[in-house]
Amino acid sequence: MTSILSLVRRAALGTTAVTAALVLAACGSDNGSDTGSGTQTSASAGAEDTAGAHNDQDVSFAQDMIPHHQQAIQMSRMAASQASSAEVKDLAARIEKAQDPEIETMSGWLESWGEDVPSSMPGMDHGGHSGSSDMPGMMDTEDMDELMAASGKGFDTMFLTMMVEHHEGAVEMATTEKDKGRYGPAKELADDIITAQNAEIEEMNKLLGKS
């Protein structure tokens, strides 16, 4: 009888031990799962914060540089049919090729930030063009009309003179972004603009016969 009771007690103790082990394992699994989930959520939120970390300067840079680029592209497209110099036509084509994708990039930033994306192209619509005067290097409506009416060597000189001023304005805007902006990709684009457009300013001054 004693041996039978002993066996029953051992079986009961074994069952209890197994049950306790299972409960502990389940708790351990829950804790691990919760910890992992929390870590992933934090990492995800951190990545989003980093990707969207921008300030008012970044927004202003994109909103101003888009129409600034649009005007440069409009001026460059005129060169295809109005310029007489192959060098001027080549330069104009390179300006358009470089700045068009940059407009797309900056528009994407503004959309992701929930900000307004400039839609009108300066000079194409004479109405609403007055706001452009605040941006350095922007041509006014009269300037654009004169360039539109020019052709041959007269166009070449006018285009180069205007585009030097236009580029200098872009470099000024990009320098402000580098100094005061927060969004990494915007500051990198600003640096690219400074490098590329300073090189083009030098090229244009040479075509104008300036040292």
Side-chain angles (χ1 to χ4, degrees), residues 188-208:
E188 288 173 12
L189 176 60
D191 192 48
D192 290 343
I193 288 172
I194 292 169
T195 301
Q197 298 207 15
N198 272 332
E200 288 172 351
I201 288 170
E202 185 177 347
E203 180 181 352
M204 290 187 285
N205 279 330
K206 286 180 180 178
L207 289 173
L208 285 166

Side-chain angles (χ1 to χ4, degrees), residues 17-129:
V18 170
T19 303
L22 288 171
V23 170
L24 287 171
C27 289
S29 174
D30 287 346
N31 289 339
S33 175
D34 288 345
T35 302
S37 175
T39 302
Q40 288 173 358
T41 302
S42 299
S44 176
E48 289 174 3
D49 289 343
T50 301
H54 65 282
N55 59 16
D56 290 343
Q57 167 57 38
D58 298 317
V59 175
S60 296
F61 170 69
Q63 288 181 333
D64 288 348
M65 194 61 82
I66 286 172
H68 204 275
H69 272 18
Q70 286 173 332
Q71 188 177 68
I73 289 172
Q74 183 196 354
M75 293 165 67
S76 296
R77 286 175 178 166
M78 292 182 198
S81 59
Q82 294 168 240
S84 65
S85 165
E87 289 88 351
V88 169
K89 290 184 178 183
D90 176 66
L91 172 67
R94 282 186 278 123
I95 289 172
E96 181 177 353
K97 185 178 180 180
Q99 296 193 18
D100 208 21
E102 291 176 351
I103 290 173
E104 293 298 321
T105 297
M106 291 183 285
S107 297
W109 294 340
L110 292 171
E111 288 171 3
S112 70
W113 297 336
E115 302 287 351
D116 292 334
V117 179
S119 56
S120 61
M121 183 179 292
M124 293 297 287
D125 178 10
H126 288 190
H129 181 65

Side-chain angles (χ1 to χ4, degrees), residues 143-189:
D143 292 329
M144 295 300 285
D145 286 345
E146 282 185 32
L147 189 62
M148 185 86 71
S151 62
K153 290 183 178 180
F155 174 90
D156 294 346
T157 301
M158 192 180 298
F159 172 83
L160 292 169
T161 303
M162 287 183 177
M163 194 61 83
V164 166
E165 182 181 346
H166 202 272
H167 272 26
E168 286 172 345
V171 169
E172 181 181 333
M173 292 161 65
T175 300
T176 300
E177 170 61 19
K178 278 190 67 178
D179 292 342
K180 300 180 180 179
R182 181 184 177 192
Y183 188 53
K187 290 164 74 75
E188 288 173 12
L189 176 60

Side-chain angles (χ1 to χ4, degrees), residues 132-144:
S132 302
S133 61
D134 294 335
M135 286 179 253
M138 287 291 281
M139 300 298 114
D140 60 23
T141 304
E142 185 178 341
D143 292 329
M144 295 300 285

